[in-house]
Every structure is written in structure tokens, then in C-alpha cells.
Amino acid sequence: MDTGANLSTISESYAQKLGMSIREASVEVNTATGMKLRTRMAVADKFDVGGLEFENVVFLVLPDDQLAFEEVGYSIKGIVGFPIIHQMRELRIGREHITIPSKPTPSHLGNLCLEGLMPVIKARARDEELIFTFDTGATRSELSRRYFDRHRQWIESEGELLTARRGGGGGMVDAENYFIDDFTLEIGTAEVTLPQIGVSLENYLFNEDKDGNMGQDVFMRFDETVICFEYMYVDLMNYENGSRDGEAGKTGMEQETLSEPSDIIDNSVCG
């Protein structure tokens, strides 16, 4: 379930296994690692997610080896991308499940917007308003080259320059990042301190004009993350004594429950 994937994606062997109609049209896509990949396309006549049925769903089709990460023994069979997630109107991501309310929850947070097929979220850090791409497929959050250029002196003074592995469509690459300890973000009604966050020295097309990319290491620190496209907000909540904190916490509504989401390696396949 990857909000950072502009289109849903499937491996070639899995598309064949499911009997999907693969179109020979060649499409070039950019990945979160900066690679450019040529891909074919397929259409699923029907696609079921937790009892929700979608029709005529478009998938990018990639060769199996471009969705495999041999270094960590992991491969991706398929990715539910943003167009499907957006049509769900609201998702609640818990530690062991995903729920889709039958009716979205109103809120006045207004911290989410769309740029094409990419959700963008507003946050605050170090007394500054920041704009991140919001990417449920990214294992770790990251600050961008744009942020580095604006805060270069502080980052070079306080950060540690290391080589990190970065994964996406086409495999894994090495990239130099600065790493900053104890970085605190304010998001919606919540505050979270990341023990460490990377600062990219490369410009990546999917967020070159943003302050960074927000991933799983932020929202998996909370009992529940509400992503609502009906009222355009993200809220992060912890439960205490059976109650729900956060503006979108108290609902009592009927929900669809999905199975536990799998971890996705580092960043999205298609940014």
C-alpha cells in the first residue's frame, strides 16, 4: 500500500499468473533511486481489496529482477498505488491492520494536498514549516537536497556523513547522506522525534522542490495513522486507556479490515 507510487505496479510473472492482459506499449518511469525504467502496462478488469471492488485498474509491469532486492532476500510481487488508495477516501493504518471507514471522518487539520498523483503533507520542525511528500512505501523518512542547501552550515556541523543503501525499482544503489540525530517533527495534532534522519545530497525528481520525504518511521511510531483524502488531512494517534487521542480519534464507525501490510524496501518504486 504505497502512496508514493504514482501508479500501481506488478511483477511480470505475477501479472501472467493472474491472467492480466499485458499491453506492449512502452512507458518510461522515474524511480526513487533516480533510475529511469522502461515498463509495460496491464489492466485488471476487477481488483478486490478487503471487500472493495475496483474495475479497469491500470498497473505498470516490471521484470521480476527490477523488483527484487537480493542483498536482503526480498522481492515485490505487486504494489497498490496512489490511484487506488485515493479512491478509498480514508485509510486508518494500525500496527497490525489497515481499516477503511465506511464514512470518512471530518477534520479541520487541512495539512494534506495533492500534486498530481503525489500526496504532499505539511509539518513543522525547528520553528520552520516544511513540505514533505507523504510516502507509505518508504521505510525511512529523509530530508531533501533543497533542505540541505538551506541549512548547510548546521547540517555539516551537527551531522555525520555516511554512505547509505537506497532501494527502489531497478534495485539498490549507494548514496552519500548526512545523518542528524533526534529530529523532531510536528504533524497534525502529534509530535514525533526520530532518533536519526538522513539528509540527501542528491536531487530526486519526485521531491526536488520539497523539504523531504515522510515514511514509515514516522507513522509506525503511533497506534493509528489516519490518511483522509475526503477532508485532506493526516493525523497520528496513540491510544491511552482505550481512548483515542488526536482530532480524528473518536469515530465508532463501521470499518473494513485489511490484512497486515508488508514492509517495502526503503523508498517507492515509482516516485
Side-chain angles (χ1 to χ4, degrees), residues 246-258:
E247 185 168 320
K250 299 176 182 177
T251 60
M253 62 184 62
E254 180 184 353
Q255 297 174 328
E256 286 282 352
T257 301
L258 309 186

Side-chain angles (χ1 to χ4, degrees), residues 189-229:
T189 62
E191 182 178 287
V192 59
T193 298
L194 299 177
Q196 190 177 71
I197 189 169
V199 185
S200 177
L201 300 183
E202 300 289 336
N203 265 323
Y204 295 101
L205 184 63
F206 75 99
N207 73 343
E208 62 184 354
D209 60 346
K210 308 294 185 298
D211 296 302
N213 190 49
M214 189 178 295
Q216 296 171 17
D217 56 348
V218 169
F219 63 82
M220 292 307 288
R221 295 177 181 276
F222 293 83
D223 292 327
E224 190 170 69
T225 298
V226 180
I227 309 170
C228 183
F229 296 108

Side-chain angles (χ1 to χ4, degrees), residues 131-149:
I131 302 297
F132 290 81
T133 45
F134 186 73
D135 186 356
T136 59
T139 306
R140 294 181 296 276
S141 301
E142 183 181 61
L143 296 167
S144 66
R145 174 70 197 214
R146 178 176 183 262
Y147 185 89
F148 172 77
D149 289 340

